Amino acid sequence: MMGIAFFTRCLLVITYLNINNVREKTTEGDPIISDISFNGESLEVERDTTRDKYGENTITNHHCKSISVMKDENNHDQYILTECSGFQRPYYLGTDKR
């Protein structure tokens, strides 16, 4: 079971950024939608690429164990999910531009 610190951090980041889904656009402008929830132990990400004309056309589920905060080139905080099952790269959640 993940620690209370991880649970608190997940809750704060999701609430602070008002995240329950992330919408990406492909190069062609097609949407890729990810729904994010917390199951008490890990963040669950359901990634839907069925609207991407040239993509995988799948819905996949990933469980992520960690949230990282990195600075972008403008010194804004970027929130990234890491240690995600079945997902090779870190999963970008959003940027705090305040």
Side-chain angles (χ1 to χ4, degrees):
M1 179 178 239
M2 304 305 282
I4 203 75
F6 177 71
F7 170 79
T8 304
R9 192 170 190 188
C10 290
L11 190 59
L12 287 173
V13 168
I14 290 171
T15 303
Y16 182 69
L17 292 177
N18 195 25
I19 295 173
N20 61 357
N21 67 48
V22 175
R23 295 176 186 269
E24 304 172 59
K25 293 261 187 200
T26 64
T27 304
E28 299 80 23
D30 296 332
I32 295 175
I33 300 169
S34 297
D35 290 316
I36 301 168
S37 60
F38 186 67
N39 68 9
E41 292 187 18
S42 65
L43 284 164
E44 295 179 355
V45 179
E46 180 182 275
R47 190 164 193 262
D48 181 351
T49 64
T50 58
R51 295 176 186 99
D52 181 3
K53 292 178 197 147
Y54 301 104
E56 299 167 6
N57 197 28
T58 60
I59 297 175
T60 55
N61 291 288
H62 310 283
H63 296 275
C64 302
K65 296 180 180 178
S66 179
I67 294 178
S68 297
V69 181
M70 299 172 60
K71 296 287 185 184
D72 68 8
E73 63 276 358
N74 297 314
N75 207 33
H76 295 123
D77 288 338
Q78 290 186 324
Y79 297 91
I80 300 166
L81 297 178
T82 56
E83 298 180 59
C84 299
S85 64
F87 204 69
Q88 301 297 324
R89 58 189 160 89
Y91 192 87
Y92 173 75
L93 277 178
T95 300
D96 177 11
K97 294 185 179 179
R98 297 177 222 191

